Amino acid sequence: MNTHRTFPLIVATVLSLALSACDRQPAGAPASPMAQADGTAGSEPAAPAASTPAPPAPTATAPASTAPMSTEIPQGFSSYASESIGDNKQCVAGTATDEDGMNQRPVAYLAQASGKPIWTRVLDLPSDTYQSRATHCLRQGDALYVLLQSDTQPEQSLSQTLLRVVKLNLADGAVQAGADVVVPGAKGAYSARVDEGGKHLRWDNGSVVVSGQYFQLDAPDQRSDFTATLKPDLSR
């Protein structure tokens, strides 16, 4: 065989077959298997975007809830004082008892001049007492100061009456502060008393002033006057 004449024939046959295969390629087929959707051939296909969770939408922070104001005067309520505090309003201090007239709980409420309550608050009993009454009320700025006189036990001959001042928000009666009244001169077991009248709970020279009488339990007939002063925020 003459290899010089056969080799060109083989090459021509291969080329002819290749061209024939190209002619049979379906219309619209991409020129290259790496062609992109935008028609750009020869570039790597874009990697699919990572599925990243969307950050949570910010939520509004709800305002702190506050106890709803009550305008209902408790059953068994008795008033000890009603003080005009300006702005056609009055502060009423007193106590509420159970059906048997026992277990006094201190109550204070703000009312319109007509007597209609704006808010009412039943106050907590001071520590180590079994009953208490709110007996005086004083306004200073946007606060009300209420005096509590509380008994330590039912047996009157053994019970002490202790004093405490509570500061309330004028707008809604919320308790802002409280402090026991330290009676000057009293020692050991004693009992204190503050009589009716606005002069016994008053504002003087930037302070809350409480005045009354006290006696030692072992000498109930020996009574002494006292005056105690508290800071406006009732801190020590």
Side-chain angles (χ1 to χ4, degrees):
M1 177 182 293
N2 189 341
T3 58
H4 294 288
R5 294 183 59 185
T6 303
F7 180 75
L9 180 61
I10 293 174
V11 173
T13 301
V14 171
L15 290 176
S16 175
L17 291 174
L19 290 175
S20 176
C22 290
D23 291 341
R24 290 194 303 268
Q25 187 174 5
S32 166
M34 303 299 291
Q36 302 301 305
D38 59 2
T40 303
S43 60
E44 292 291 333
S51 177
T52 303
T59 56
T61 302
S65 60
T66 57
M69 291 189 300
S70 173
T71 59
E72 182 178 355
I73 299 175
Q75 293 184 352
F77 175 79
S78 299
S79 173
Y80 276 77
S82 179
E83 299 289 344
S84 176
I85 60 171
D87 299 327
N88 293 319
K89 294 181 176 65
Q90 57 182 322
C91 178
V92 182
T95 186
T97 61
D98 56 23
E99 295 179 354
D100 298 326
M102 304 293 289
N103 301 317
Q104 296 176 339
R105 296 294 184 271
V107 177
Y109 70 86
L110 181 69
Q112 298 175 356
S114 64
K116 181 180 180 180
I118 298 172
W119 52 255
T120 303
R121 292 288 176 183
V122 178
L123 303 172
D124 292 337
L125 288 177
S127 300
D128 302 321
T129 65
Y130 91 100
Q131 69 176 12
S132 179
R133 41 211 174 268
T135 60
H136 295 70
C137 191
L138 168 70
R139 177 185 179 179
Q140 182 61 33
D142 59 357
L144 293 176
Y145 295 90
V146 178
L147 177 67
L148 307 185
Q149 303 192 54
S150 310
D151 303 321
T152 58
Q153 54 184 299
E155 180 58 47
Q156 186 174 0
S157 62
L158 301 175
S159 179
Q160 295 177 255
T161 298
L162 306 178
L163 308 178
R164 184 173 177 83
V165 174
V166 179
K167 182 180 180 181
L168 307 179
N169 185 293
L170 179 64
D172 58 8
V175 177
Q176 297 180 324
D180 295 330
V181 177
V182 178
V183 176
K187 299 178 181 178
Y190 72 92
S191 188
R193 173 186 173 89
V194 177
D195 291 332
E196 296 180 3
K199 66 181 181 180
H200 297 296
L201 178 67
R202 64 187 187 274
W203 186 264
D204 185 30
N205 197 28
S207 299
V208 180
V209 179
V210 181
S211 58
Q213 291 185 328
Y214 74 94
F215 62 88
Q216 305 295 145
L217 290 191
D218 58 359
D221 295 329
Q222 299 177 15
R223 309 214 167 198
S224 303
D225 295 332
F226 77 88
T227 298
T229 302
L230 296 90
K231 295 180 180 179
D233 62 358
L234 302 184
S235 63
R236 297 295 183 186

